[in-house]
Amino acid sequence: MIFEFWQYLTTPTQIEQAKKMGYLKEAIAMAARADRCQQEWGEHYQSCQKAINQAINRAVQHRTALIFGAGSLKDVPLDELSKKFEKVLLVDLVFLKEARDKVAKFNNVELIEHDVTESLSWISEGQDWVQAPSTWLDDTHIDLVVSLNLITQLPLIPVRWLLNDYKVPEATADIVGKQLIFAHVNYLKQFSGEVCLIADYLDIEFDNKGNEIERFDPWWDVEPPKPEITWEWEVVPLGEAGKKWQKNHVGVSFL
Ligand SMILES: C[S@@+](CC[C@H](N)C(=O)[O-])C[C@H]1O[C@@H](n2cnc3c(N)ncnc32)[C@H](O)[C@@H]1O
């Protein structure tokens, strides 16, 4: 707890919404959970790295790689990306010290704090509209784009923020959630290089006897692209959050 508080105080953030809306707090909590659930999360991280390695091999040229949702970097094959590409851009709203230290030894890898929705500045002020992201679309050197365990996370904090802090009606907040997902898929499709989307497409909650309690559609009713590779990720193992546990189905699509 003290370490987490220290992380909160000492992590630099360039995007105002990272602290204001709770992204930094979430990143710190996620890092702590990843430490506690090393076995279950480790297998998932390995599967992500394997999928990104496939995407690296599918790319026709290897000038710039752009990774959205890089976060902890635990699911990023950094050595391979750095070796194969002239330049690697790792994008997230927040980077903790561990990630900053990891990239320090690579001279062609850059961490970029950036809001991939390009909409948080006004959502954080209570406005319920989403714009189409466009950053990097004019960069003709981008040969690989990876969206990494990010897309289904995009609505979570903004929708909660609009509901709780601005009392936006549920139906309106729900549309914002769908639009954030839809806009990200459209954004990815506009890149001309190889595009790899890694995301959960079905989340299932179980009781301690293994009986299914509930299934969630993490895509907010938006149709996900058909995955070519899939695996299951025990994202909340039994004991982590009381008597329930949760398994996510993760898929990889090449757009
Ligand atoms: C489930 S985590 C995956 C991160 C990383 N791939 C990992 O597993 O450690 C989702 C990531 O999306 C980032 N994120 C959420 N909303 C974002 C936004 N609007 N712009 C950029 N990054 C965002 C979070 O900061 C977090 O690092």
Side-chain angles (χ1 to χ4, degrees), residues 23 27 30 45 69-75 91-94 114-117 120 148-150 153-154:
Y23 289 95
M30 207 180 104
Y45 289 146
S72 71
L73 311 186
K74 287 184 174 145
D75 42 6
V91 178
D92 203 290
L93 267 176
V94 175
H114 170 77
D115 162 28
V116 302
T117 71
L120 289 184
L148 185 52
N149 297 307
L150 166 72
Q153 302 296 304
L154 293 178

